[in-house]
Every structure is written in structure tokens, then in C-alpha cells.
Amino acid sequence: MKDFIPRQLLLETNPVQLISMNQYVHELSTVAHRHDHYMIMWITKGHGTQMIDGYEHQMLTNRVFFFHPGQVHKMNDFERDGWMVIFDEPIYKLFTRFHPQEELNGMMQQGGHEPFVDLDEDTAVLYEHITTMIQKELLKSPKDFNMLIHFVSLLLLAGNKLHELKNTLELKNKNSSKHLVRNLTLLIEQHFKKGKPVSFYANALNLQPRNLNRLVKSKLGYTVHDLLQERLLTESKILLASSPLTIKEISYSLGFADPSYFNRFFKKNTSLTPAAFRTKGV
């Protein structure tokens, strides 16, 4: 079924952007829409509510929200100030590669009822320093995107640390759906280049493939196959953008038996050939 919810496209050429909320006006903000990016939203001052995936959340001073791409979002009327740090999929995957314990954990959980954390005084000071540094770095030419990636990582780590201190019971329950989805994500990170079937992941989690797909679909809105394809596509983009490997070498490193298969896979999902993507410098 076609998704008629409009998408809010904010990332352009930069993989990281910092947007002031007291100056920000977008035509889709007050209607239900989906994002094309990950976002950290820090409310520094204000009040009101917003809807995330059908749940209403209070907009409180020093409350930090985390958004995944594709979540349905709607801003209700409110007075606010703060910052939105938006970033793309490759940055998110680089972060979770080095910090796999944070995947779908803390404020970064997806489908949870509490995709936010309330900052304490020390963490609010840290957030202030980091957002100032992001702002300064984005004004430079050329920008140091390695620095920006580390700044985003610090925001995520600090927010998750607070969130986990306040709510750790669900992760301790090894049978919880959140725990199973997180373990699936970690398994995908280990094996996505090997072409393992869905049954491999289901067996590793002691589930039937049908039941695993149903659980993942209910929590994330995607099938296991969708997650595998998306992870492979993201890694393809990272290697094409940053690796000195040839396209042929990249295709083999990602588990494709023939570079022509890789070309078809990439073009199907991006409308560009790997060579065109690399030339474009996306």
C-alpha cells in the first residue's frame, strides 16, 4: 500500500546539519510527516507537545528526543527554543559500529513509548558545549566531518547514559521484544556481508522465521529482509564514498559473487549505478 504521509527532506549536501528551533519554520511541521534523516532534538526552553508514531509527548525544557527515519511526526502548537541536530544513515551506522551496545537502546529505541531523556545539569552543559562546537565547525570551509561525527556520537552517548540509568529493567528481560530486536540488529551487523538467509537469524534467536518477521515488522515496520538490504546498501554507500577500493573490489567485499549483481542491486535501490554515485560524490 502506498504511503501518503509526506516526507520532510532536510539533508542536502551536508551529512550533518544544526538547525535552531526558534528560527525554524517548515510547512510540514504541523501536519503528520516522515523524516528522511536521524535527528536529535534538544528543547532548551519552551512548552507544548508533539506526536511521534501516534504517541503524544510533552516538550519540556532540557528534554532530548531521538528520531529514526520514517517515524511519523507532528508538531503541535507550542513556544520553543532549542536545537535540532540532523544526520544521515552512514553516520548512524558508523556510530553503532563502534558502539553496538547503543543500537536501539536508551533514547534510541524505536517503537518505544519514551524516545527521550531529561538532561541533568551537567549533561545540559555538555550538550551546550557540543552544539556550539558543531555550529562553529559547520561554518568552516572545508568542514571536518570526522569532527562532526564525533560530536554527534558524544550527544548520543551522553543522552543514552542518562536514559539507561533511569530505565534498565526491559533490557534485563532477555525475552522482551526490544531485547530480541536489538540482538537481531547486532547479528545483522556481524553477518550482513555473508548473504545469510532470514532462517539463519531466526535460528540464532530461537524463533521461527515467520515469528521473527512478525515481531520485527511490529516494532520497526520492516521485514528482516528489508533490514538486511538496507544495511548492505548503507555499507555500499560508505565504501563508494570513502574507500580507495575499486567498484569490483567493493562488490566482492560485500559478498556479491559477480560485480554485475552489485550494480543491479545498487541501481535498483538508488536509481544510480555505483560509478555514478561515486562520481556524484554523495
Side-chain angles (χ1 to χ4, degrees), residues 145-159:
F145 288 108
N146 286 323
M147 291 289 288
L148 290 169
I149 289 168
H150 286 296
F151 293 152
V152 171
S153 296
L154 284 171
L155 293 175
L156 294 173
L157 287 170

Side-chain angles (χ1 to χ4, degrees), residues 237-273:
K237 291 178 179 179
I238 292 172
L239 292 176
L240 288 168
S242 62
S243 170
L245 296 175
T246 66
I247 292 174
K248 183 177 180 180
E249 289 169 333
I250 289 173
S251 68
Y252 288 137
S253 74
L254 294 173
F256 288 89
D258 188 316
S260 64
Y261 296 157
F262 175 58
N263 273 268
R264 287 199 293 270
F265 161 79
F266 196 86
K267 188 172 183 179
K268 177 183 177 182
N269 288 281
T270 66
S271 300
L272 293 172
T273 64

Side-chain angles (χ1 to χ4, degrees), residues 164 167-176 178-179:
E164 291 177 43
N167 185 11
T168 60
L169 292 178
E170 189 174 358
L171 278 179
K172 290 181 180 178
N173 178 6
K174 294 184 178 180
N175 294 318
S176 73
K178 186 170 115 176
H179 191 277

Side-chain angles (χ1 to χ4, degrees), residues 28-95:
L28 293 180
S29 293
T30 57
V31 299
H33 61 275
R34 298 185 191 275
H35 294 165
D36 71 330
H37 52 267
Y38 293 86
M39 179 168 68
I40 301 167
M41 177 188 288
W42 174 30
I43 310 300
T44 58
K45 184 178 180 182
H47 65 274
T49 63
Q50 63 179 328
M51 303 293 293
I52 304 173
D53 288 343
Y55 293 97
E56 186 174 60
H57 301 285
Q58 294 292 320
M59 306 284 283
L60 303 178
T61 298
N62 276 333
R63 175 163 287 185
V64 174
F65 291 87
F66 183 82
F67 296 82
H68 292 264
Q71 287 189 286
V72 180
H73 180 222
K74 177 179 179 293
M75 290 279 201
N76 296 328
D77 291 336
F78 67 100
E79 298 293 331
R80 87 279 190 173
D81 198 356
W83 297 99
M84 296 184 294
V85 182
I86 64 176
F87 54 98
D88 62 13
E89 179 83 7
I91 289 178
Y92 178 80
K93 289 301 181 183
L94 283 172
F95 171 77

Side-chain angles (χ1 to χ4, degrees), residues 189-239:
E189 191 63 32
Q190 295 171 20
H191 301 288
F192 74 93
K193 297 179 183 179
K194 302 172 184 176
K196 299 289 186 182
V198 174
S199 59
F200 166 82
Y201 296 95
N203 290 336
L205 296 170
N206 296 315
L207 290 170
Q208 292 294 323
R210 175 190 312 114
N211 294 335
L212 178 60
N213 264 321
R214 186 182 300 120
L215 183 150
V216 173
K217 186 77 173 177
S218 68
K219 295 293 288 184
L220 303 181
Y222 301 100
T223 65
V224 177
H225 176 74
D226 292 336
L227 295 179
L228 289 167
Q229 294 291 97
E230 184 62 33
R231 184 63 189 93
L232 196 59
L233 181 63
T234 298
E235 191 69 16
S236 301
K237 291 178 179 179
I238 292 172
L239 292 176

